[in-house]
């Protein structure tokens, strides 16, 4: 992966904060009940350009089953993410094109992940007095996640050292559900976009679907 040393999402110092405070904030972005989020998607990188439809079935606080299909049925797949881990995926490589870093995918769904144990956490307000937004930064080893939330939007930046691995911007609707999102992976030239077409708050996910594709 080539390096991308773009300017930081939050190019100012933030104040020390606790892991517990970050967890409380992240919990406030988590859906209170199960939901199925249906969306149109488009993916492109230096070799591939594809589009289709998908459904993310979320079971709070930290589980999602994702099913997707490309236009004209050229490909399809499914997988389960719990917390920050892909539990299973079929086909594995295609699914991981969607999930290049679980916290970034969660952010595209409008959900912030809690700070992991041992993280160095900082926070603060950014954006000026007219449009203040809340920023949180988690530093763990060489990796840094920076969130900015407010004005019905959620942004996240993932850095490894000085390299930007991924950036995501999600617009939220008036109920806190995602409306649209754009995710970029500068080092690989990849880009993923989604537009939500419906949210089913009465969804039920049969237990077997957490274990396998069918």
């Amino acid at each position: 992966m080539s390096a991308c040393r773009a300017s930081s999402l939050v190019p100012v110092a933030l104040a020390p904060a606790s892991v517990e405070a970050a967890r409380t904030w992240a919990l406030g972005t988590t859906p209170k009940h199960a939901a199925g989020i249906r969306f149109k998607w488009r993916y492109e990188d230096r070799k591939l350009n594809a589009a289709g439809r998908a459904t993310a079935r979320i079971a709070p606080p930290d589980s999602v089953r994702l099913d997707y299909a490309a236009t004209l049925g050229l490909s399809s797949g499914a997988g389960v993410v719990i917390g920050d881990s892909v539990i299973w995926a079929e086909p594995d490589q295609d699914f991981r094109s969607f999930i290049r870093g679980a916290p970034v995918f969660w952010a595209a769904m409008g959900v912030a992940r809690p700070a992991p144990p041992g993280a160095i956490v900082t926070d603060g307000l950014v954006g000026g007095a007219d449009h203040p937004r809340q920023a949180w930064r988690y530093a763990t080893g060489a990796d840094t996640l920076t969130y900015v939330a407010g004005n019905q939007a959620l942004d996240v930046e993932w850095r490894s050292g000085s390299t930007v691995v991924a950036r995501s911007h999600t617009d939220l609707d008036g109920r806190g559900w995602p409306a649209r999102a754009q995710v970029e992976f500068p080092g690989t030239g990849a880009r993923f976009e989604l537009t939500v077409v419906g949210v089913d708050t009465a969804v039920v996910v049969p237990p077997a679907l957490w274990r396998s594709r069918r």
Side-chain angles (χ1 to χ4, degrees):
M1 179 178 66
S2 61
C4 178
R5 294 178 172 83
S7 60
S8 175
L9 176 64
V10 180
V12 297
L14 299 174
S18 68
V19 170
E20 291 75 16
R23 287 179 178 273
T24 299
W25 167 75
L27 185 61
T29 71
T30 303
K32 302 302 184 289
H33 48 74
I37 300 174
R38 293 180 288 109
F39 58 90
K40 297 184 293 184
W41 58 267
R42 177 172 294 279
Y43 172 84
E44 60 180 288
D45 59 25
R46 293 170 182 144
K47 297 180 179 180
L48 177 67
N49 193 319
R53 290 181 175 266
T55 299
R57 287 174 277 196
I58 296 175
D62 63 354
S63 302
V64 60
R65 156 86 187 221
L66 176 66
D67 293 84
Y68 66 89
T71 304
L72 302 179
L74 297 177
S75 65
S76 63
V80 164
V81 176
I82 297 179
D84 295 331
S85 301
V86 177
I87 303 305
W88 62 264
E90 182 187 335
D92 186 80
Q93 183 174 355
D94 290 353
F95 186 84
R96 292 178 189 275
S97 293
F98 277 84
I99 312 293
R100 297 190 181 194
V104 177
F105 176 77
W106 278 114
M109 295 290 101
V111 178
R113 292 291 298 142
I120 298 173
V121 178
T122 53
D123 77 335
L125 294 177
V126 297
D130 293 337
H131 301 286
R133 301 181 68 193
Q134 180 71 46
W136 290 89
R137 180 171 288 148
Y138 313 157
T140 308
D143 288 344
T144 303
L145 276 178
T146 301
Y147 290 97
V148 179
N151 300 330
Q152 295 192 14
L154 178 66
D155 290 89
V156 67
E157 177 186 83
W158 171 21
R159 283 180 176 256
S160 180
S162 60
T163 299
V164 178
V165 179
R167 279 181 170 168
S168 172
H169 172 82
T170 303
D171 293 315
L172 307 173
D173 67 16
R175 303 170 298 166
W177 299 109
R180 63 192 62 84
Q182 306 87 39
V183 184
E184 296 183 349
F185 304 92
T188 61
R191 179 182 179 89
F192 178 74
E193 300 178 351
L194 66 87
T195 302
V196 173
V197 297
V199 178
D200 179 5
T201 56
V203 67
V204 176
V205 185
L209 290 184
W210 296 108
R211 297 191 294 269
S212 66
R213 184 173 179 181
R214 296 177 179 83

